[in-house]
Amino acid sequence: MNRLIIIGTLLLVAACGGGRYDPPRNLDDACAIARERPSWMRDMERTERRWGVPVHVQMAIIHQESSFIGNARTPLRYSLGVIPMGRQSSAYGYSQAIDGTWDWYRDETGKRFARRDRFDDAVDFMGWYMNETRERNGVPLYDVRNQYLAYHQGHTGFARGSYRNKAWLLRVADRVTDRAAMYRGQLRRCRFY
């Protein structure tokens, strides 16, 4: 009887241990991601239907922001190289949404219980945010480079052109654009996963 209680307790603790935050094994192959995480593909396709943001665009931005790690956080800042001073920002989860923007999303969509470390919520957030970018900044949903720049800099920062003097960010935006094109080509070949 004691063994059953111990085993039951261990199973219960394991079940409550949080979500699966590890990334897929091959991040350079959209078809491999689709095969390994079919529920993610359904979530991204749902986001594409609801918000119009293509799956390959979602994938490329998630790759850049979190490398598909569900509980990703920004690095810690240190004073004197050793004293932890907190995170660089409140960005968290697959989409790396910051606290204020995530709260805005939940208020606007009525999704009070949405979580940044749940893939379906993260991609829905991305679809909503990119639509806000289209409405506020006039950036088409398929314009990967400018959607990424607005995603990274925020709507106001993008409108001000704050990215123009950040050569490193422009290079990152180009890499995101290239990755989106790669994912798009791959998904065309394996559309039925």
Side-chain angles (χ1 to χ4, degrees), residues 69 73 87 108 110 122 128 180 191:
I69 298 170
R73 292 185 184 277
R87 302 262 174 209
E108 289 284 317
W128 168 82
R191 200 57 187 167

Side-chain angles (χ1 to χ4, degrees), residues 50-51 102-114 121 124-125 127-129 132:
R50 180 174 184 193
W51 300 108
W102 189 258
D103 291 341
W104 176 32
Y105 159 73
R106 293 191 310 174
D107 289 344
E108 289 284 317
T109 61
K111 293 187 166 210
R112 297 299 315 148
F113 300 105
D121 291 334
D124 190 68
F125 163 81
W128 168 82
Y129 191 86
E132 288 290 322

Side-chain angles (χ1 to χ4, degrees), residues 2-171:
N2 279 345
R3 283 185 184 192
L4 287 177
I5 292 172
I6 292 170
I7 291 172
T9 302
L10 290 174
L11 289 174
L12 182 62
V13 168
C16 295
R20 179 180 179 188
Y21 298 133
D22 59 315
R25 286 184 291 277
N26 186 354
L27 298 182
D28 292 329
D29 185 343
C31 298
I33 294 170
R35 283 189 299 274
E36 188 174 339
R37 306 285 168 86
S39 65
W40 285 8
M41 296 309 292
R42 288 189 298 273
D43 294 336
M44 288 185 285
E45 288 169 342
R46 188 177 312 115
T47 293
E48 183 173 19
R49 284 191 303 274
R50 180 174 184 193
W51 300 108
V53 178
V55 169
H56 65 278
V57 174
Q58 297 172 58
M59 292 179 80
I61 292 177
I62 289 173
H63 179 276
Q64 177 58 42
E65 292 297 294
S66 67
S67 298
F68 291 91
I69 298 170
N71 60 351
R73 292 185 184 277
T74 58
L76 287 168
R77 292 179 301 172
Y78 292 91
S79 178
L80 304 173
V82 293
I83 303 168
M85 300 298 291
R87 302 262 174 209
Q88 291 176 359
S89 82
S90 63
Y92 177 71
Y94 292 105
S95 63
Q96 288 294 284
I98 59 173
D99 291 348
T101 309
W102 189 258
D103 291 341
W104 176 32
Y105 159 73
R106 293 191 310 174
D107 289 344
E108 289 284 317
T109 61
K111 293 187 166 210
R112 297 299 315 148
F113 300 105
R115 293 178 23 196
R116 291 177 278 184
D117 58 4
R118 285 184 44 147
F119 194 83
D120 60 335
D121 291 334
V123 294
D124 190 68
F125 163 81
M126 291 173 65
W128 168 82
Y129 191 86
M130 290 183 203
N131 264 277
E132 288 290 322
T133 300
R134 182 185 60 181
E135 291 175 18
R136 291 168 181 262
N137 302 98
V139 179
L141 297 174
Y142 55 82
D143 182 348
V144 181
R145 185 174 195 270
N146 286 309
Q147 278 288 348
Y148 178 73
L149 290 168
Y151 193 85
H152 189 276
Q153 296 293 282
H155 297 131
T156 304
F158 180 80
R160 288 183 186 148
S162 62
Y163 56 89
R164 289 189 187 109
N165 294 325
K166 298 178 181 177
W168 65 269
L169 180 58
L170 295 172
R171 284 191 301 273

Side-chain angles (χ1 to χ4, degrees), residues 172-188:
V172 170
D174 290 340
R175 282 198 309 267
V176 172
T177 301
D178 292 345
R179 181 165 291 274
M182 178 185 76
Y183 281 158
R184 182 178 184 200
Q186 292 169 345
L187 288 171
R188 282 183 179 156

